[in-house]
Amino acid sequence: MKEIVSREKVTPADIDGDGKDDLVLQRTDGAVVVHRNLGSSFGAGTVMSKGWGRFVTGQDLGRLYFADITGDNKADLIIHGTDGNVSVHKNLGTYFDSGTLWSSGWGRFVTGDDLGRLRFGDTTGDGKADLYIHVIGNGEVSVRKNMGTYFDDGTLMITL
């Protein structure tokens, strides 16, 4: 299934660590704006990062994801570039840091039209998101466990 992106992309993710998903708006001007979940409404937007205008659709330079990689209950910014690199930009409360490389070799997994797609979720239950690889051709889903600064070599979980 393809994502439909007309102008901007909205992703629910717990950015402030309060257990409620906030709205993360990926604007076409490249800003990542967070609208905090106030319970009955969402707050005014706060810019937490800039320079990602060519990452909105996944068809240009890559794709952005938001998941708690560090285990602090706050979603971090994950960059998956068309160069195949996956880097993690830690959530420091009011901004994301400059990022570190966690994995490489995923250039043909950006759009989902080639070999497959990457996803992030906590398979192990340790509070840190792991890397899911869904291979389209054979239907395999494997998981690469979050080791704190990188993802391991992976385990085949299921063949769909």
Side-chain angles (χ1 to χ4, degrees), residues 116-131:
R117 276 294 296 275
L118 304 183
R119 303 276 190 222
F120 298 87
D122 184 10
T123 299
T124 60
D126 64 0
K128 298 182 225 172
D130 305 299
L131 170 60

Side-chain angles (χ1 to χ4, degrees), residues 97-115:
D97 75 6
S98 58
T100 56
L101 178 67
W102 274 53
S103 191
S104 59
W106 304 107
R108 295 182 64 193
F109 286 80
V110 177
T111 65
D113 293 333
D114 195 353
L115 293 182

